[in-house]
Amino acid sequence: MESNNKKGFDMEAGISNQLYPMMQELPQLRWAFIRKVYIILAMQLLLTVGVAATVVFVPPIPRFILHTTPGLAIYIVSLILTLIRMSFFLLVSLSIFCLYGFYLFGFFFCRIISVIFY
């Protein structure tokens, strides 16, 4: 087995043109894939912010969702469809995380209230 401790070889500098040992694809392809993933995530985040801002700042939309039967039905159906698509492990871990967060915030606010009012 050949040693990589040759004079002038620096693993951290990436002189060997490989990101990891036994790399078979070109680094340019890998970086292009990573760039595409980040672009997709950024676009999803912008779309989410845009839709959320529209729902919050256009008064008829929350009124429709909160005060009409079809709006409430759309909300409940979308909630159920989201829960159906999740796996059981994800639901359990999300529930544990939320319960921990509720406990943490409850303890924090009880402590703040006791300091302020008592």
Side-chain angles (χ1 to χ4, degrees):
M1 188 157 105
E2 186 177 313
S3 173
N4 287 332
N5 292 331
K6 299 176 187 173
K7 186 175 181 178
F9 179 78
D10 185 11
M11 172 109 38
E12 293 175 358
I15 295 174
S16 69
N17 272 344
Q18 289 188 342
L19 296 174
Y20 54 89
M22 304 299 290
M23 184 173 130
Q24 295 179 358
E25 70 271 359
L26 294 172
Q28 293 84 6
L29 291 175
R30 184 177 179 89
W31 291 117
F33 173 74
I34 292 171
R35 204 174 305 116
K36 287 177 188 177
V37 168
Y38 279 117
I39 288 172
I40 290 170
L41 288 174
M43 296 306 289
Q44 284 181 333
L45 184 62
L46 285 173
L47 182 65
T48 302
V49 168
V51 169
T54 303
V55 168
V56 169
F57 293 118
V58 177
I61 296 175
R63 204 171 338 166
F64 170 74
I65 293 172
L66 295 174
H67 301 295
T68 65
T69 305
L72 185 61
I74 291 171
Y75 176 72
I76 291 172
V77 167
S78 64
L79 183 66
I80 290 172
L81 288 177
T82 302
L83 291 176
I84 288 173
R85 288 183 13 200
M86 290 184 170
S87 68
F88 178 74
F89 176 74
L90 182 62
L91 285 174
V92 169
S93 60
L94 182 63
S95 300
I96 291 170
F97 178 75
C98 287
L99 288 173
Y100 174 74
F102 297 155
Y103 173 77
L104 181 68
F105 288 130
F107 179 77
F108 174 75
F109 287 120
C110 287
R111 181 73 177 146
I112 294 296
I113 289 172
S114 68
V115 167
I116 292 174
F117 295 110
Y118 300 112

